[in-house]
Amino acid sequence: MSVIVRFAPSPTGYIHIGNLRPALFNWLFAKERPAAAPGRFVLRFDDTDTARSRREYADAIFDDLAWIGIHPDEVVRQSDRLALYDAAAEKLRGKGLLYPCYETADELERRRKRLMARGLPPVYGREALALTAEERAAFEARGIRPHWRFLLPNFASSPFETQRTEVHWDDLVRGPQTVDLASLSDPVLVREDGSYLYTLPSVVDDGAMGITHVIRGDDHVTNSGVQIAIFEALDYAVPTLGHHNLLTTVDGEGLSKRSGALSIRTLRDEGYEPMAIASLAVLVGASGSIEPMQSLGALGARVDLSQVSSSNAKFDPAELGRLNAELTHELSAEAVAARLAEFDVPPQDAEAFWMAVRGNCSKVADAAEWARIVYRGPSQIVFSGEDLEFLRTAFTLLPAEPWDGDTWRVWTNAVKAATGRKGRGLFMPLRLALTGVDHGPELAALLPVIGHARTVQRIP
């Protein structure tokens, strides 16, 4: 069977690392499965919420996924598929499984409170099913438009006498799962204004598009019991389901697109590498250590959905910093050449410069400061006394060109012999004169990049 998965974000904001988690699980499951033919990945925008959905967010989601390395095989928008949902709703009405309800939100809330006060579960009692045609007509005459609920198959003969009705599935992540439909209220599928809530369009699209596997957050486990009933009512094949744990902040708070916290766009602008973000988004909350993966293929080889924890996974920014630094230290000059050019590193120097400084960069953007130091000179430091005299002597001993990786050793040996200095007393003044800071890359690698001409300009 060919695998077809989907990632279905609502374009109501920029996606964050928590949204990226299911996108990656689906992508890796379809595209990076060992010993299996690549499947298909569908990007489906759940944009039926016309008040909040914006095309600019959809475009941003597409771009952010591409930056990570996710390239959909197909892109669809629910706003283009309303006729399918209309037909499905009519099919359910024809089967007597979608019925009109006229209660207001306040009325429903009062009922829930009364049930809870009596120690009963706050499940909708299907009062609307008892309305006569005349009563429904009276509501309509008063301008009260109905919302529409799906009649769950949790009864034998009378819908007012529910009985335990178990829905089972073998979850890719959580193993065997059971939801009792008698414990749930009939879900609202259509609002008073005729617009659709998430549930019906999701089921219709999954069924009509032949989605074989649905991998999503475990906040949808209960929804899955309801959706399986709707799949069957619409005569669709039920996909294989998998529900992974959610990503939260270190404090256990949920992530939100509205706040912009940890959005992929923000992390990208802050200079994090895509594979650092992808590695943490997938590996946190799973078995094994969290390590930076060099590619999505390598990340896919690590993923075993059955080993994902059932507890929430906590996102720690410090972990992202660690992963990013480790990845940065392994990046080739070719991989960062375009970014080095933005820092005015000459193309002929790119490899030597990057190999000299990358070990001191947590992000590639950190190389910009080293480019300034190398090519425009360090911040001026005032030397005096013995250090000034030492440096002026040292600079008279600079080796002749050409310079290479051995030049620093040759120079410092000559300076040591001439001045008697050694250790920190020898190396620190030279580092400060050359770079303006008391730490940084190995000068054996950096000095040839600075070059003789720029070095001479740094004589105190």
Side-chain angles (χ1 to χ4, degrees):
M1 177 183 68
S2 178
V3 168
I4 307 175
V5 300
R6 48 78 162 177
F7 173 55
S10 298
T12 56
Y14 299 116
I15 58 171
H16 50 64
I17 193 169
N19 305 130
L20 181 63
R21 187 168 169 82
L24 280 165
F25 276 135
N26 279 280
W27 173 264
L28 297 174
F29 186 81
K31 298 295 187 179
E32 305 295 349
R33 303 172 71 212
R40 288 175 52 78
F41 178 96
V42 177
L43 173 59
R44 187 178 75 213
F45 289 112
D46 286 4
D47 60 352
T48 55
D49 184 349
T50 56
R52 296 173 55 219
S53 296
R54 291 164 59 177
R55 184 59 180 261
E56 67 185 79
Y57 288 135
D59 292 343
I61 291 169
F62 184 89
D63 291 343
D64 288 343
L65 292 177
W67 179 69
I68 291 291
I70 296 175
H71 304 282
D73 297 292
E74 184 179 4
V75 179
V76 297
R77 292 174 172 80
Q78 288 191 331
S79 56
D80 296 332
R81 301 166 63 82
L82 296 178
L84 286 174
Y85 316 141
D86 292 343
E90 283 306 308
K91 184 173 182 175
L92 294 177
R93 289 189 184 98
K95 290 185 172 184
L97 299 179
L98 194 63
Y99 62 94
C101 304
Y102 296 88
E103 297 96 342
T104 66
D106 286 342
E107 289 173 329
L108 292 172
E109 181 61 23
R110 286 196 295 271
R111 286 183 190 172
R112 282 192 288 267
K113 288 181 177 179
R114 285 197 296 270
L115 288 169
M116 293 173 68
R118 294 165 54 194
L120 299 173
V123 175
Y124 179 63
R126 293 173 170 163
E127 289 83 357
L129 277 177
L131 295 174
T132 64
E134 291 76 14
E135 288 171 326
R136 289 196 295 270
F139 280 118
E140 300 280 351
R142 289 160 51 195
I144 300 176
R145 301 178 63 183
H147 55 274
W148 295 77
R149 291 181 183 266
F150 174 71
L151 183 61
L152 290 171
N154 55 11
F155 57 93
S157 55
S158 170
F160 300 103
E161 298 176 2
T162 60
Q163 61 185 32
R164 184 172 181 84
T165 306
E166 294 182 348
V167 175
H168 304 277
W169 71 92
D170 190 10
D171 199 279
L172 289 169
V173 181
R174 301 165 64 91
Q177 297 293 298
T178 299
V179 171
D180 175 19
L181 296 182
S183 67
L184 305 175
S185 295
D186 291 340
V188 177
L189 301 188
V190 188
R191 299 182 181 92
E192 290 85 348
D193 62 3
S195 64
Y196 296 99
L197 281 82
Y198 158 83
T199 306
L200 183 63
S202 180
V203 169
V204 171
D205 284 337
D206 288 343
M209 301 179 74
I211 301 299
T212 62
H213 295 75
V214 173
I215 303 170
R216 57 190 177 183
D218 59 14
D219 53 334
H220 286 286
V221 169
T222 301
N223 293 346
S224 289
V226 170
Q227 289 179 338
I228 287 172
I230 299 174
F231 273 111
E232 293 174 345
L234 291 172
D235 304 312
Y236 287 131
V238 178
T240 300
L241 302 173
H243 295 86
H244 60 79
N245 54 1
L246 298 179
L247 196 61
T248 69
T249 66
V250 173
D251 296 328
E253 297 178 0
L255 306 182
S256 169
K257 280 189 291 188
R258 294 183 186 180
S259 70
L262 304 174
S263 73
I264 305 305
R265 185 136 300 205
T266 297
L267 295 173
R268 180 180 181 177
D269 290 344
E270 290 177 351
Y272 290 100
E273 297 298 312
M275 281 310 305
I277 298 169
S279 297
L280 187 57
V282 168
L283 297 180
V284 65
S287 62
S289 59
I290 301 175
E291 300 171 344
M293 298 290 105
Q294 297 294 324
S295 67
L296 290 179
L299 184 58
R302 274 284 310 271
V303 172
D304 181 348
L305 289 174
S306 67
Q307 297 301 308
V308 174
S309 171
S310 59
S311 301
N312 284 346
K314 295 186 177 182
F315 170 82
D316 184 351
E319 276 286 85
L320 182 59
R322 175 183 67 81
L323 295 177
N324 202 80
E326 291 182 23
L327 276 174
T328 300
H329 297 165
E330 297 298 323
L331 288 173
S332 67
E334 181 180 6
V336 299
R339 284 180 277 180
L340 295 183
E342 295 176 0
F343 308 151
D344 297 325
V345 176
Q348 65 272 19
D349 288 357
E351 182 164 6
F353 171 81
W354 178 243
M355 298 306 289
V357 306
R358 69 177 183 176
N360 290 86
C361 297
S362 296
K363 301 174 181 177
V364 174
D366 296 342
E369 176 61 14
W370 290 111
R372 182 194 67 78
I373 289 170
V374 168
Y375 296 104
R376 293 192 291 277
S379 301
Q380 188 173 10
I381 292 181
V382 177
F383 297 94
S384 60
E386 293 181 358
D387 279 346
L388 180 60
E389 181 180 351
F390 162 75
L391 287 169
R392 286 178 175 171
T393 298
F395 274 83
T396 66
L397 299 171
L398 281 170
E401 293 186 288
W403 283 7
D404 57 25
D406 202 38
T407 300
W408 172 252
R409 182 187 62 80
V410 172
W411 183 29
T412 54
N413 282 345
V415 172
K416 179 179 179 181
T419 65
R421 284 204 183 194
K422 58 183 179 180
R424 182 178 176 84
L426 169 67
F427 297 116
M428 186 54 67
L430 292 177
R431 176 176 287 280
L432 289 171
L434 291 169
T435 68
V437 290
D438 61 3
H439 61 281
E442 293 292 332
L443 287 171
L446 196 64
L447 186 62
V449 184
I450 297 174
H452 188 278
R454 285 187 288 266
T455 298
V456 169
Q457 294 173 358
R458 302 174 193 206
I459 299 174

